[in-house]
Structure formats: structure tokens, C-alpha cells
Amino acid sequence: VKRPKLNSLMLLGCGVFAGVATATLGGCQSGNTGSPGNTSNIAPQSSYRIVGSVGTPFRALVSDSRSSWQVFGTIPTIIVIVNDSPPDRILATKLTNDNRLLSLQVIQGLSIGTLDSTISHFGTAVGSIGGTLPAFALPATPDVRFFVNTPLAGVFTALIEGESQSSAVESAVPTVILFDSPNGGQGGRVDGIFNQVAFTGVLEVDLVIDGHLAESASDGNTVSVHGTVNGG
Amino acid sequence: MNVKYLGGRWLGPTLFGVLVFLLGSLLLDGRSRVESQTGTGIVEVAFTGTLTSSDGLPIADHYQRVSLNVVSVRLNPSRDTTISDSDPSWVDIPAPAAVGSTFPSEFITTSLNFGSTGPLLTAAGSVLQLDLLPLQNLPFFFNAASIPAQPYGQMEVVLNDFNPGNAVPLCHQHSFGEGCITYTTLLSQASGLRVLFGFPFYGVAADVVQPLIVNINVNVGPPPTGDPNSQTVALSPIITPQGAPLPGTITPYNPTIGLVTGKVTNFDVNTTSVSAEFSGTDQIVATTKLQGDGSYALSLPAVATGTLYDFYVSGKSGGYVVKSGVLVKPGDAVTFNPTVPFSTFGQLSGTIADSCNGAPIEAATLKLLVADTSNGGATSCDLTSEPAVPSPVPASLGQQTTAPPHPPSNCVVVATAASNDQGIYPFLYTPFTNVAVDPPPGVVHYDLEISAPGYNTTVVPIAPGSVFCPASRFANSCSFSLEHGYLTGATDLSVPNLTGNRLNALVMAEDSGTNNIENLTLSTIQGGTSSGPFTMPVPIAEPSADAIPVNSLDVFASMQDSFQGLPQKTTGHLIGTAANVGAPSANCSTLPIPALSPLNCAGLGSVTGTVANADPGTTSVRLSKNGVQIMQTDPNEIGAAPDNVYNFCAPTDLYTVTHYEGPTPQLSVPVPSSSGSASVALMAPVSIGEPCSSICQNASNVCLVCQPTTGPNLQ
């Protein structure tokens, strides 16, 4: 039995689809690590690690073939796309007028795809993976994001779910998880269940849908956030 | 006492053992006695660089950028360089992932990490891309790690297997390979990434912080004659750790870096730390905790003529102690013996929001400023209009003639925070959660600087003896709404976009006549159209008294191009510009600006030239178009002669190159010489027929291969 697992860095992702999900994912939604069924792992997917001089603010424009997102953050940050639709492309821009380092790793599965970095004023780093994406896609609709804010440098696992799909994620804090086209881009429920691998501080997670905070939760080891996407 | 009889069969091994002991004693003689102790020592790995080209010319004549993708540095006690990669004695100092990595020591941290709590269960390895050109002039601190205290015989720099490095060659005449785009590299047989330490060992002492400086000598092969899908750039890196002979010589490599030592009075050994940051910034270079007696040592990178640093002491023993503008030179030892004053502690917190719509501002930067009263008259960091630049700037360059208000130059950033997705700060367990509320003697009050791209930077006082701001919009916090206006305009093509794809242009707004970028946004030109609108928040000209006004903006746009499907930093489309467009006057107001100059496909070009009297710590060259500064050489990139070469990759067009000097980029000014600035026209690319690849598609629908231009030699 294979457990669907979507690591932010390795991203051995798994999509579990309607019908199958109904029968098999009840346990997962309650945090049970039991069998989700016999769904095979999907192909290794992509994620982005933006590191360098700690605290440097940046803006990243991330796109797959279906959606794009603007992500504001500070170094270090990991960006994960759940339900990714490659090819992917990223443009990360440093937001400081100094020589701080911004280093970008584009990762597919356990492999590093492209590497780029900048020390220039408002310098950019670019990357792509999974083929050629000639232009950035239109902004994501709906725009569903999970922000895992603390504990800094802690490690967590998570289950990101729509009504017809579930993906397991493992990553380090801070991470921004972008949920591309949940429920087929239509309205419906989304949720996330987060667990710390080892307790290192308060686990704090925000779920933001279309720019509005749907739910914020914090706890010691396990956090759940839920929200509803309006019909498309 | 019983005496054991030793038979003759034990005599040989016993004598051998005695001999080994005696030899070992002789070899170890003169080394620190702590090396034989058990325990761990802290090793700070720093890289320096030496770059050579295949024809002996300065590397900047051929390449804009050469980088190595470093996975780790590892040490082994053995002096047998043929030992296996899986030998259990290897000790790894990994690339700083900054997140989720195993960072075994929290004794000393560099700007690239903040410790961690454990490895990811499954993850791709961290790789740090090391830019080699500035490394020639300023050492780069890679990472620090706690490793077993013992003698080490050899070391290795481990590069990424599949992509050991990248190079961006300049345009190359008579070549069918495109220049100014990223190529992968191939390591040659001559590479030496696993080498012996100088005889006999590199000793790591227990409970001591010590640098390990490694020079990377890289011979870079000739620029490629074909495109990236068919050619790579050959690299031959050879590393030399300190004490070992330099390649081809018997001369040992004896690098010098800056050293700051001292002893702190009134400290808490568990929490008190000393931090060094580039002067006038919050860019921490290194932070160290203290030894049991309060002493500390910080090794710091510095250019030959010296690098300015600020220092501060923080922790739970008392208030902050700051020292601003200290010049650190390689080989010099600077002493800083601070006494920590009494203070109580509190958490500085609040929310940062947009004053126009109330929306939270994500990733706003907050800096806690403390004045160094021993270095200047300012006793607070309230905004001042005192000149910050050493000489007036020629009005012909369009620079603002009066400097905007700014914090005094003797202010030191002692803590930094960022807002989260809801505009809330601080994150748990970060410096703002433990602020010493009592300012140091002589300091009137702290100040809080709040900035975010597109907003007026605001500097507000904090009530002395508290962590609250009198001007806060909520009681008992430091919560503020940042002001801004909007700039709206369009990017244009002379002919409709017939590429079959959307075209994305990155639009940036900067203070007029400077390279101080205020914000950026994306403009998209749809297929079949020739214009793409954009709107972006920008600072306003008439903000409230505690905010820094911006009187006028320059705007430029750069198309996001790809080559053979891979995104590139450089663009073959013309840079769109609009100079001195003004700034929105009032909060939330919108300023329409004229369309930028056309972003037509022109193809790439490159330019190289020299700068007289170049000093890597102070010299830079800026590239302008129509009075708008659009590019600048990277910090510490231009060396002293004969490496005083600047270069740029840009779309073929007419530009101005200008020599700037200044202790920091913010304080740099044009050199007051008639030959410090000159015009240059980049040579047009050559057209080639199919099959071919091109950075962009022009109206003739041919492929464009860039050509080099010899630029002016700037005084």
C-alpha cells in the first residue's frame, strides 16, 4: 500500500481523486496515517527553495501551466505547489538595494533542477522545470494558500485536501503551500492538517483564500485549518 | 605490582608503537595542546577566489559571471587522498540551507543560517551557488560547523554532481554561440577539489572558533562557440586551504582576514552575543556567543582597503551596546570591549497595514535602531536632513539635489523583524520577542524603521523604557499603516506581439537619478496586441512627517526572455524607460505616466571597459538609458588594475556608462570628472539562418547572435 506523499522538496506527490478519495481518505482527514488506498504515486513534482542571507525580503512570481502566484516573503522560504501542472517557471526578485545573497533552487523530486542566484540590487533569479513555459500563466483562481509560519526551521508533515484530492507534504518552516485548482477549480471545501515531526515550538498555520484569511490556527504538534472556496 | 612478561613476539609491535608515539609527539609539537583533547571545535569556512582565463586576459573580459554550485566542504583525518567517498571519517560542513538543515553549532552563525532543529526526513540536498567574481576581492563566509576536535589531513569541496557550476560568457565575435546567457559547465581533468592540508595537519581545537580559509583557483575555458544545448564551459577549479602550497609553487597560502576580539563585561554566557553587520545596514555578517570568561573573536571578510562594520551586543544580561562605522582591514585586529548596561525586557509587536485599503502588508521589514553616541552627535535615530552623501551630485545626471530625510549615520540596527501574511510581527523566537527596553546611556529613545516595497519608509520613536510607540494606531503596540500612491502606465511594442505567446515585462520604479528601487510589478502584453498596462504602489511625495518622501521616480521595464526554453536574466528586448515621471503627491492618489519607450526585440550585446583607480570596496559602474539607471556592476566585482574591468550584458541600444565611488552603494556618487561618464552604442547582433535559437523574435523572424563592444575607459 502506498501512502500519497508530496514532499515540498522531494515531492513524491500523489493525487487521489474523487470516488477513490471518498472511500479511502477518511482516515487521512482525521490525521490517521493508515492506508489511503492503492493509488500509485504521481510523477516527481516541483518546489522552490529560496535561501541566502536570512531576512532578505523577496517577491517571487511562480507559475505552472495553469496558474500563477505572487509570493512575498523573506529568506528563507520554501514554496510548494500542490496539484502542480508542469512545466513550471519562477522569477524571484530581491527587494533590497544591497549585496545580500538570494539563492534559488528549483527542485523536482529529490533532484535539483536549476540553480540561480543574485547579489545585485533588486536582483533577480530565474528558474524553470518540467519543460518550457513561454509565459507566466494568469493569476490563480481560486487562490488558495497555506502559510506555515512557525516554528522557524522546524520540520512538519501535512495533508492538503480538497473534496476530490489529497496530497501529503513534508517540509521545513517557513513554507508557503499553493494549492492549484482545488476541486477542479470549482467551489468547495479545502483543508490542511499539519503535524510537527518533533516539537520545536508553536506550530502556526494560516489558510488564505483569494487574499482573505479563512482560518488561522496554532498549537503544539498538530494544527488543522479549513476553508471554503466560492463557486467558480 | 605485577609485571607482565613480554615475550619476543610482542617486542616488534611494542617498539613500533613507541616509535609511532615519538614521531607523533614530534609532529604535534608546537600545536595547541587542546587538539589532543576530545570534544568539538567550531570551524568557519570562508572562500577566496582566483580566476584565470584561457588566454591570460582578465576574466571579466570574457565572462560576466562564473559560479560554482557547492554542496559541502568536508574534512578527513587521513592524508590518503584516494580514500573512498563513503569513508566514515569524513566530516561534513554542509551548504547553509537556512531551513531544515543540520546546523550543528549555534555558537556562531553567519548571515546565511539561523540554526535548525533537525534534518528533513526526505529532501534534496542544499546547494549554494558561489559567485566567483566578487570572491576575488572579498572573502565569502560559506558556513560554520562544530566538528570533532582533531587533526585533519585533507579536505574536499563537493560540488553538485549534475551541475557543478554555471557561466555567463560575454558576447564573442565570430562565434555562433549566443553570449550573455547561462551555460552549464564541465569540470576538466585538471580539477583539484580534494587536496591535502599543509604539512602535517589542520588542527581543530576543542571549544575554539577558528577560520578555515580556502582559495578556489579556477581556470575558465574559452567562451563557447555554440549554444547551451551543444556546448559547455570548461572549468578547472583547484582548491588551496590555508597553509598549503599554492598551485605550482612551494609558497604556502597565507590569507589575511579581519579579526575583531574583545571581552564583554556583565554578560550571560547562554544568551549574550556579539554581532557584526555591514555598516548602516541590517546585513549581519556573523554573530558569536561568548566564551566562559566573556571573551569572543569574530573573523570578518574585508577588502584590502578595509570594510566598514557596525557591532552590537545583545542578550538577556542587559541593554544593547553599539559601535558604528568601524573600519576592519585584512590582517588588522580590532578590539571592542563592551560593558552591558542594565535593562528590563519586553516584546516589540504590532501589525503593519496598507493605509489605503487596510490590507495587511506581508514581509514588511522592521528595524530597531540605536544611536552610537560615541560616534556622532545624534542621540536618537529620528529622521534628519543632514547630508548623507560626501559630495554634491551633478544635476545633469538628474539626481535629486537635496537628500531626502534619513536616519543619522551613527545608527545601528540591533534587531530586525518581518511581518507575516497577516501583517503581524514578530514571529515567535525572533529578536523582537526579547527587546531590552531601556536605551543605552546617552540615547534618548529607540527608533523603529518600517519599510516595504511600494510604501514610504517610516521611522517612528519608541517610548523610552517601554516597547510601545506613542504614534501607534493601537495602544500598547507599534502598529502602523504605511502610506503610498499608485503609478499607472503601459509597456509598449512598436508592432503587435505576434510571437504566439504572452510577453511578460518586469517594471521597476526607482528614485529619480539613483539606483534605489522602490517597487516592481509585472506587465503583460497579450498576443496580437502591442501594449501591456501596469499599476504599482509607489511612495508618495508628501507623506506624514515621520515618513521619507520620494519626489520623483524613474521607471524602466525589462522583458522576461528565454533561450532554448530556459528563462534568462538578460533580455534581448529593448529596455523601456521613462525618466523623472514625478511621484503621486497625496496618500492613495494615482499618477498616470507616459508609455515607456518601446520594448522591441533588438538582440543582445555586451560591453567591456576599464575603470581608472578602481577599488573593489568602493568602485562601481552604472549603465543608464535616457537618464534612467538600469544596471550596476555587482559589489566587489571590479578589482584593482589589471582586473579593473567592468562589463554589462544588455539589449543592443545606446547607453551611458558612469563611474561611481562611495563607501556603500547608497552613498556612492558619480566621479566628478568629464571622462567619468561616457556614451556607448552596443554593436548590433548578427543574423543567422535556421536551424537556430534566439533570445527573442524580431519582425524579420531571424535568429540574433550577440556581438561584443569595446566600451570607454572611465576615469
Side-chain angles (χ1 to χ4, degrees):
Chain A
V1 175
K2 296 174 183 174
R3 178 163 188 232
K5 184 168 192 175
L6 179 62
N7 184 294
S8 71
L9 301 177
M10 62 170 290
L11 288 160
L12 294 173
C14 172
V16 183
F17 296 95
V20 178
T22 307
T24 60
L25 281 180
C28 291
Q29 284 189 330
S30 60
N32 191 316
T33 56
S35 164
N38 295 322
T39 312
S40 58
N41 287 336
I42 61 173
Q45 297 201 11
S46 45
S47 64
Y48 310 90
R49 187 186 282 179
I50 300 172
V51 299
S53 300
V54 173
T56 305
F58 69 86
R59 192 186 85 156
L61 182 62
V62 185
S63 180
D64 63 15
S65 64
R66 188 166 47 202
S67 309
S68 70
W69 300 263
Q70 283 193 58
V71 178
F72 288 85
T74 56
I75 290 172
T77 295
I78 293 170
I79 300 171
V80 180
I81 303 177
V82 166
N83 195 28
D84 184 23
S85 172
D88 291 5
R89 181 172 175 179
I90 183 170
L91 165 69
T93 307
K94 217 174 82 174
L95 299 178
T96 58
N97 284 298
D98 54 35
N99 65 344
R100 283 186 253 203
L101 172 69
L102 183 152
S103 188
L104 167 69
Q105 280 179 248
V106 182
I107 298 165
Q108 191 168 43
L110 281 171
S111 304
I112 296 165
T114 57
L115 287 155
D116 197 12
S117 64
T118 180
I119 56 172
S120 304
H121 295 207
F122 270 70
T124 59
V126 295
S128 64
I129 204 155
T132 300
L133 188 62
F136 292 94
L138 297 175
T141 306
D143 186 335
V144 178
R145 307 179 186 209
F146 297 87
F147 292 86
V148 188
N149 290 326
T150 63
L152 291 177
V155 176
F156 70 91
T157 58
L159 196 63
I160 306 299
E161 299 178 314
E163 292 180 357
S164 59
Q165 181 183 21
S166 173
S167 298
V169 177
E170 183 199 39
S171 186
V173 183
T175 288
V176 180
I177 299 170
L178 309 171
F179 195 171
D180 188 10
S181 303
N183 306 319
Q186 303 303 308
R189 183 183 170 87
V190 293
D191 55 50
I193 304 165
F194 297 79
N195 292 281
Q196 282 197 72
V197 172
F199 179 80
T200 54
V202 175
L203 181 62
E204 186 181 275
V205 180
D206 291 344
L207 169 59
V208 175
I209 299 175
D210 292 331
H212 301 289
L213 181 66
E215 186 174 3
S216 180
S218 60
D219 206 332
N221 276 319
T222 301
V223 164
S224 299
V225 286
H226 314 272
T228 302
V229 176
N230 292 328
Chain B
M1 179 187 290
N2 295 323
V3 178
K4 187 172 182 177
Y5 171 73
L6 288 175
R9 63 196 169 96
W10 294 104
L11 185 60
T14 304
L15 287 174
F16 179 73
V18 170
L19 185 63
V20 167
F21 174 75
L22 288 173
L23 279 173
S25 300
L26 286 170
L27 290 173
L28 293 171
D29 187 36
R31 293 166 50 243
S32 170
R33 58 189 164 81
V34 291
E35 288 177 12
S36 59
Q37 296 174 352
T38 56
T40 58
I42 312 288
V43 173
E44 279 183 281
V45 178
F47 289 119
T48 60
T50 311
L51 287 172
T52 55
S53 64
S54 55
D55 61 4
L57 290 173
I59 197 74
D61 274 333
H62 295 306
Y63 288 91
Q64 185 178 55
R65 194 156 184 258
V66 180
S67 58
L68 290 178
N69 299 325
V70 182
V71 174
S72 69
V73 170
R74 58 182 185 173
L75 285 66
N76 197 299
S78 169
R79 289 187 69 84
D80 175 7
T81 56
T82 64
I83 59 172
S84 162
D85 281 347
S86 58
D87 184 283
S89 299
W90 285 112
V91 175
D92 256 15
I93 301 175
V99 283
S101 66
T102 303
F103 179 57
S105 166
E106 293 184 349
F107 189 90
I108 187 161
T109 56
T110 70
S111 63
L112 303 178
N113 59 42
F114 52 38
S116 76
T117 54
L120 282 175
L121 304 179
T122 50
S126 285
V127 181
L128 185 81
Q129 190 167 69
L130 196 61
D131 197 339
L132 296 176
L133 266 75
L135 214 60
Q136 297 181 109
N137 301 308
L138 185 69
F140 178 83
F141 275 58
F142 172 72
N143 204 356
S146 176
I147 66 174
Q150 60 184 354
Y152 290 92
Q154 64 181 299
M155 69 163 295
E156 181 174 7
V157 172
V158 181
L159 303 180
N160 183 245
D161 280 342
F162 300 103
N163 185 14
N166 293 99
V168 178
L170 298 173
C171 304
H172 187 51
Q173 212 157 18
H174 313 303
S175 167
F176 291 108
E178 178 68 313
C180 289
I181 59 172
T182 302
Y183 283 72
T184 55
T185 62
L186 193 64
L187 298 185
S188 75
Q189 294 290 332
S191 301
L193 293 168
R194 182 187 287 193
V195 298
L196 293 174
F197 281 110
F199 188 81
F201 293 106
Y202 171 72
V204 173
D207 302 327
V208 170
V209 181
Q210 59 190 89
L212 169 57
I213 304 173
V214 181
N215 186 64
I216 306 179
N217 186 321
V218 185
N219 183 267
V220 187
T225 54
D227 287 337
N229 62 350
S230 64
Q231 297 240 329
T232 59
V233 174
L235 296 183
S236 306
I238 299 174
I239 63 167
T240 308
Q242 59 190 63
L246 288 160
T249 74
I250 57 170
T251 308
Y253 174 52
N254 283 318
T256 53
I257 55 175
L259 179 65
V260 178
T261 61
K263 202 168 190 178
V264 179
T265 302
N266 184 22
F267 63 92
D268 172 4
V269 74
N270 293 318
T271 63
T272 303
S273 62
V274 181
S275 299
E277 56 194 8
F278 289 128
S279 191
T281 75
D282 63 333
Q283 194 176 343
I284 296 174
V285 178
T287 295
T288 184
K289 292 183 179 176
L290 306 178
Q291 301 289 352
D293 62 353
S295 63
Y296 69 92
L298 275 174
S299 299
L300 296 173
V303 296
T305 51
T307 298
L308 283 172
Y309 280 94
D310 293 340
F311 298 97
Y312 67 89
V313 181
S314 60
K316 291 182 179 173
S317 63
Y320 300 106
V321 188
V322 298
K323 186 72 182 165
S324 66
V326 179
L327 187 68
V328 176
K329 291 183 176 180
D332 276 7
V334 175
T335 304
F336 175 44
N337 294 315
T339 298
V340 176
F342 170 81
S343 179
T344 54
F345 296 88
Q347 174 171 294
L348 194 58
S349 61
T351 59
I352 306 301
D354 184 309
S355 64
C356 296
N357 56 23
I361 299 177
E362 187 180 355
T365 299
L366 300 104
K367 300 175 187 175
L368 184 61
L369 302 174
V370 180
D372 173 14
T373 54
S374 71
N375 184 27
T379 56
S380 79
C381 296
D382 296 344
L383 292 175
T384 174
S385 293
E386 291 171 5
V389 292
S391 65
V393 176
S396 59
L397 291 163
Q399 184 127 0
Q400 295 173 351
T401 50
T402 53
H406 52 86
S409 58
N410 65 336
C411 287
V412 176
V413 181
V414 296
T416 304
S419 57
N420 70 7
D421 58 285
Q422 297 306 306
I424 300 167
Y425 74 93
F427 287 98
L428 296 173
Y429 322 118
T430 55
F432 271 37
T433 60
N434 186 51
V435 168
V437 301
D438 300 306
V443 174
V444 177
H445 58 74
Y446 296 143
D447 284 273
L448 184 64
E449 180 185 302
I450 311 162
S451 61
Y455 296 88
N456 289 83
T457 296
T458 300
V459 178
V460 291
I462 298 172
S466 82
V467 284
F468 308 131
C469 295
S472 172
R473 62 194 182 112
F474 300 126
N476 299 331
S477 77
C478 284
S479 299
F480 292 91
S481 296
L482 299 186
E483 297 164 286
H484 73 94
Y486 297 96
L487 212 62
T488 181
T491 54
D492 273 355
L493 296 171
S494 296
V495 294
N497 169 19
L498 300 177
T499 61
N501 295 303
R502 289 184 300 274
L503 292 172
N504 301 122
L506 190 65
V507 185
M508 294 191 173
E510 63 189 5
D511 296 350
S512 189
T514 77
N515 64 348
N516 188 44
I517 294 172
E518 294 286 359
N519 202 10
L520 55 94
T521 191
L522 202 71
S523 169
T524 299
I525 301 175
Q526 302 289 343
T529 69
S530 59
S531 183
F534 66 84
T535 298
M536 74 171 126
V538 292
I540 57 175
E542 298 169 7
S544 52
D546 52 12
I548 299 174
V550 170
N551 296 321
S552 187
L553 295 160
D554 294 339
V555 182
F556 65 97
S558 169
M559 205 71 88
Q560 298 302 297
D561 288 330
S562 299
F563 190 86
Q564 293 179 336
L566 294 175
Q568 301 293 329
K569 288 181 181 178
T570 48
T571 174
H573 289 84
L574 298 173
I575 306 284
T577 59
N580 206 13
V581 298
S585 56
N587 195 27
C588 311
S589 63
T590 298
L591 176 70
I593 65 169
L596 307 188
S597 59
L599 283 77
N600 301 339
C601 173
L604 277 164
S606 67
V607 58
T608 56
T610 60
V611 188
N613 305 314
D615 176 339
T618 62
T619 301
S620 62
V621 176
R622 299 184 191 176
L623 185 79
S624 306
K625 176 185 173 183
N626 298 334
V628 179
Q629 297 184 12
I630 54 178
M631 293 182 196
Q632 175 180 316
T633 52
D634 279 339
N636 307 301
E637 188 177 273
I638 302 174
D643 293 316
N644 55 335
V645 177
Y646 70 86
N647 63 44
F648 290 102
C649 283
T652 299
D653 206 346
L654 180 64
Y655 300 101
T656 301
V657 283
T658 306
H659 175 187
Y660 273 70
E661 289 287 335
T664 67
Q666 288 74 21
L667 297 180
S668 292
V669 294
V671 171
S673 161
S674 59
S675 51
S677 186
S679 296
V680 60
L682 265 58
M683 190 176 288
V686 296
S687 302
I688 59 172
E690 293 183 337
C692 60
S693 301
S694 189
I695 187 72
C696 60
Q697 186 179 322
N698 66 8
S700 305
N701 204 18
V702 296
C703 291
L704 305 171
V705 178
C706 74
Q707 296 297 300
T709 300
T710 300
N713 298 323
L714 302 172
Q715 297 300 305

